């Protein structure tokens, strides 16, 4: 414990999750000292900061952002916002990425977060220390580097650490036999910025997640011939012109031809991977025992807390979620753990809980690599954390509006971003298309 018995918490990363963590810590000055937020770059906003360059900055540090020039959100602003800070009323429901960055800067202004962020600072190590009288007998030494070439090293001690370093920057390239034989241009969506350089080219795009679909639409608009290669059920909604589907690429032949799972072949000029990212926590001390295997970060109680080191919190690693409200709920849960309003079970009980939870998911046929993909289960997860932590759950309309947008997106991927939503009260909302026509809601409010 430090200064007048208040808990000192370090926050790693000033993207949306780190800002949200800092906002909640600052709202509880009775229990928490002012947080220290470490941020690698010169900006807040993490993945929402568009950087035209790819590869590395002038100082040799890798460029983390995967934002592309024309990205608009795929979640309506009405449910994308932090629940305590709505987007500006005049904006459409689906906003350009620059508006999200502006929104996060306004969040910083409103909650006065700027002074607590150390910009241009990389975290080198996070190490647990046994401390008599510390929170759960523990403290954390955080060593960070800053200065022009990140050579100035500082170590500070904290009672707890919230890791908010994001997970959209270390590209995952699946192991495809013979990939090194591909003769054309090989790239990952992490380095995709705009469609024009690929105008008129033949492209095999691997992966039909949201980025894959979005980029396929952008490429279609510059007359690229796109084969969308993926292992999901074939899409039934209308596809943009020049885009066709194929099963996954299984190998690359001697002459650089791609072979698909059904035996068909293609020899595109560009092979574009929209295959997602790896989790990486290079600064975490090995003895903490947090492992990443097959895209699962474990063992973590409630996808947040390593049972052996319960004052470390890994925020925002769940996938297929509505991110800002998710961070809002997780941050409040972390505070409830640290201030004692939620008493954590014993280490053994937490380990058992994790084991049973993972076993239950596997029994439902969920592959290890999809365990962190909460999707429609995120609402029960959010409500459970609110219940355990004793804080206000998300308003009832939130899940219904979000899930309805998913239905519209699956039905009409080409036009769903032209819809505009209006929240009427805690339960009800409505949606209009481009022509102001009210649309029927696809799902009953639960």
């Amino acid at each position: 414990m430090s200064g007048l018995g208040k808990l000192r918490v370090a926050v790693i990363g000033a993207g949306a999750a780190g800002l949200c963590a800092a906002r909640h810590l600052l709202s509880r000055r009775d229990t928490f000292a002012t947080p220290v937020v470490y941020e690698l770059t010169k900006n807040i906003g993490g993945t929402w900061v568009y950087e035209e360059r790819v590869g590395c900055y002038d100082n040799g540090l890798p460029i983390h952002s995967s934002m592309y020039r024309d990205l608009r959100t795929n979640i309506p602003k009405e449910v994308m916002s932090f629940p305590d800070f709505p987007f500006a009323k005049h904006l459409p429901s689906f906003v350009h990425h620059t508006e999200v960055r502006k929104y996060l800067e306004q969040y910083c202004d409103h909650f006065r977060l700027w002074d607590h962020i150390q910009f241009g600072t990389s975290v080198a190590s996070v190490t647990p220390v046994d401390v008599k009288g510390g929170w759960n007998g523990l403290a954390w030494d955080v060593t960070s580097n800053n200065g022009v070439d990140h050579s100035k090293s500082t170590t500070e001690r904290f009672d707890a650490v919230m890791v908010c370093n994001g997970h959209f920057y270390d590209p995952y390239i699946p192991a495809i036999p013979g990939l090194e034989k591909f003769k054309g241009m090989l790239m990952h969506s992490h380095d995709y910025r705009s469609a024009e350089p690929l105008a008129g080219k033949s492209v095999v795009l691997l992966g039909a997640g949201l980025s894959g679909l979005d980029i396929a639409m952008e490429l279609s608009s510059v007359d690229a011939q796109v084969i969308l290669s993926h292992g999901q059920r074939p899409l039934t909604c209308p596809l943009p012109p020049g885009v066709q589907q194929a099963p996954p690429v299984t190998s690359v032949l001697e002459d650089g031809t791609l072979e698909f799972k059904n035996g068909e072949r293609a020899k595109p000029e560009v092979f574009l991977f929209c295959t997602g990212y790896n989790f990486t926590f290079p600064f975490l001390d090995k003895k903490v025992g947090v492992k990443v295997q097959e895209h699962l970060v474990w063992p973590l109680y409630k996808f947040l807390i390593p049972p052996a080191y319960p004052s470390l919190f890994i925020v925002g690693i769940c996938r297929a979620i509505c991110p800002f409200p998710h961070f809002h709920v997780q941050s409040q849960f972390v505070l409830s753990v640290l201030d004692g309003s939620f008493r954590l079970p014993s280490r053994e009980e937490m380990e058992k809980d994790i084991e049973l939870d993972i076993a239950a998911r596997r029994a439902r046929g969920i592959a290890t690599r999809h365990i962190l993909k909460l999707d429609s289960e995120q609402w029960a997860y959010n409500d459970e954390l609110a219940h355990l932590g004793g804080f206000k759950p998300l308003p009832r309309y939130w899940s219904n509006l979000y899930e309805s947008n998913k239905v519209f997106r699956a039905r009409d991927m080409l036009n769903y971003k032209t819809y505009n939503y209006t929240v009427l009260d805690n339960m009800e909302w409505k949606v209009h298309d481009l022509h102001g026509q009210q649309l029927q809601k696809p799902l009953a409010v639960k």
Side-chain angles (χ1 to χ4, degrees), residues 129-384:
V129 190
D130 292 326
V131 173
K132 272 201 172 61
W135 196 92
N136 259 30
L138 270 181
W140 296 88
D141 282 347
V142 176
T143 300
S144 61
N145 298 321
N146 61 12
V148 184
D149 54 358
H150 281 245
S151 60
K152 192 169 148 275
S153 181
T154 318
T155 301
E156 280 198 63
R157 182 159 288 188
F158 296 92
D159 298 295
V161 178
M162 294 176 74
V163 175
C164 307
N165 66 326
H167 53 87
F168 295 121
Y169 58 85
D170 182 30
Y172 166 65
I173 307 263
I176 295 173
L179 186 57
E180 69 289 346
K181 300 190 179 89
F182 181 68
K183 308 276 194 296
M185 179 185 176
L186 190 67
M187 68 184 286
H188 188 278
S189 59
H190 174 59
D191 294 324
Y192 173 85
R193 293 295 180 264
S194 61
E196 288 84 356
L198 304 180
K201 293 193 184 303
S202 56
V203 182
V204 167
L205 191 159
L206 184 63
L210 295 176
S211 302
L213 295 175
D214 212 26
I215 291 171
M217 288 197 286
E218 289 200 359
L219 295 177
S220 155
S221 71
V222 294
D223 299 325
Q225 288 75 56
V226 180
I227 296 177
L228 186 60
S229 161
H230 65 95
Q232 303 166 29
R233 279 200 298 262
L235 299 164
T236 52
C237 63
L239 291 172
V243 177
Q244 49 174 318
Q245 297 180 77
V249 173
T250 47
S251 65
V252 182
L253 307 178
E254 278 305 319
D255 67 349
T257 303
L258 306 185
E259 186 162 57
F260 300 96
K261 199 173 179 177
N262 60 0
E264 289 185 13
R265 295 175 179 182
K267 206 167 183 182
E269 293 163 271
V270 182
F271 191 6
L272 173 53
F273 285 83
C274 295
T275 44
Y277 296 87
N278 297 307
F279 290 105
T280 166
F281 310 100
F283 44 78
L284 266 192
D285 190 306
K286 293 279 178 285
K287 71 165 168 268
V288 172
V290 171
K291 300 185 200 53
V292 182
Q293 279 170 334
E294 289 181 66
H295 299 281
L296 175 64
V297 186
W298 69 283
L300 294 175
Y301 177 67
K302 305 300 176 202
F303 301 131
L304 266 173
I305 305 168
Y309 293 92
S311 48
L312 177 73
F313 305 90
I314 300 190
V315 178
I317 57 168
C318 297
R319 292 168 35 234
I321 43 123
C322 192
F324 298 3
H326 181 79
F327 306 153
H328 178 83
V329 167
Q330 284 193 326
S331 293
Q332 290 176 93
F333 179 70
V334 168
L335 267 58
S336 79
V337 167
L338 289 172
D339 72 12
S341 50
F342 174 64
R343 246 189 89 197
L344 281 178
S346 69
R347 175 179 172 172
E348 291 68 33
E349 288 169 316
M350 288 194 276
E351 285 168 346
K352 191 87 196 121
D353 185 280
I354 295 166
E355 228 171 281
L356 291 172
D357 182 56
I358 289 179
R361 288 169 198 275
R362 288 211 176 108
R364 291 205 303 277
I366 296 172
T368 301
R369 66 196 167 96
H370 290 148
I371 285 175
L372 286 172
K373 216 170 170 181
L374 292 191
D375 209 359
S376 301
E377 293 184 11
Q378 64 182 305
W379 312 110
Y381 171 84
N382 289 343
D383 285 349
E384 183 194 16

Side-chain angles (χ1 to χ4, degrees), residues 12 16 29 33 44 64 66 97 105 108 117 120 155 162 207 232 240 248-249 260 262 307 332 338 370 388-389 421:
I12 300 175
R29 302 279 184 112
I44 63 105
H64 274 182
S66 301
H97 64 78
E105 288 174 346
C108 276
I117 303 168
T155 301
M162 294 176 74
Q232 303 166 29
V249 173
F260 300 96
N262 60 0
Q332 290 176 93
L338 289 172
H370 290 148
L388 294 175
Y421 292 78

Side-chain angles (χ1 to χ4, degrees), residues 375-380 383 393-404 406-407 425-429 441-446:
D375 209 359
S376 301
E377 293 184 11
Q378 64 182 305
W379 312 110
D383 285 349
L394 296 176
R396 287 298 97 190
Y397 68 80
W398 214 281
S399 57
N400 185 264
L401 198 162
Y402 177 93
E403 295 292 333
S404 298
K406 268 172 34 190
V407 175
D425 58 35
N426 198 39
M427 289 289 278
E428 288 301 328
W429 56 275
K441 290 192 201 171
L443 300 166
V445 176
K446 286 200 186 66

